[in-house]
Amino acid sequence: MGAATAAACLLLVVGGLFGGLLFPSRTDGPGAGPPPSPPASTSAAPVVAGERITASDPRSAVKGYVVLRRKAWGTEVELHLAGVPKGSHCRLLVIARDGRRDALGSWYVPYDEGYGEYRGSTMFPRGQLFSFEVVGLDGRPLLTIPT
């Protein structure tokens, strides 16, 4: 090993030790400043607020809400449900003001707590929405959310 290589290695070791004393990585000791700010979000899609509409059905004990976001192609829908029995098969429908219907999706309830979140979309613009219906596969209504 040459003298220049040895000097460079020694400089790295001393620099690392000296730098650790000048710039300690611990922030929980006495006189420590505030913790560093978290890095800025790198999410590609910004969080967009939407219109929230809540409903409950005392007969079925199901309650929930939808969050609606207007889009150029229709409406984005986020459904949050609680109280649906485990093992249920459900379907989400939207009814337009003129009576047309659109199926937003269906799912099986695998959880014990009876809570879930489902996302879908409809071709209907927000102004044409009349209600959302969560129904069993047998068509039995579990929850209606009027808009």
Side-chain angles (χ1 to χ4, degrees):
M1 179 160 43
T5 305
C9 288
L10 181 61
L11 183 59
L12 283 174
V13 171
V14 170
L17 291 174
F18 185 66
L21 293 173
L22 283 179
F23 305 105
S25 61
R26 292 187 52 124
T27 59
D28 57 351
S37 299
S41 174
T42 58
S43 171
V47 175
V48 179
E51 176 186 2
R52 180 176 165 157
I53 304 169
T54 304
S56 63
D57 185 331
R59 291 175 295 144
S60 66
V62 174
K63 57 186 173 182
Y65 63 91
V66 291
V67 177
L68 306 177
R69 294 181 184 89
R70 296 173 191 254
K71 299 292 182 180
W73 42 260
T75 307
E76 182 180 82
V77 179
E78 182 180 312
L79 170 69
H80 296 257
L81 276 180
V84 179
K86 180 179 181 177
S88 298
H89 291 84
C90 301
R91 183 178 295 143
L92 178 60
L93 305 171
V94 61
I95 293 88
R97 295 194 183 283
D98 63 5
R100 291 181 294 159
R101 294 174 169 260
D102 191 13
L104 275 67
S106 60
W107 64 92
Y108 167 77
V109 180
Y111 43 78
D112 290 324
E113 296 82 29
Y115 174 81
E117 176 183 322
Y118 308 93
R119 295 176 187 264
S121 61
T122 178
M123 63 186 160
F124 301 134
R126 170 60 185 101
Q128 292 182 12
L129 302 179
F130 178 72
S131 67
F132 290 90
E133 291 183 2
V134 178
V135 299
L137 290 185
D138 60 359
R140 184 177 53 90
L142 299 173
L143 180 66
T144 299
I145 303 173
T147 63

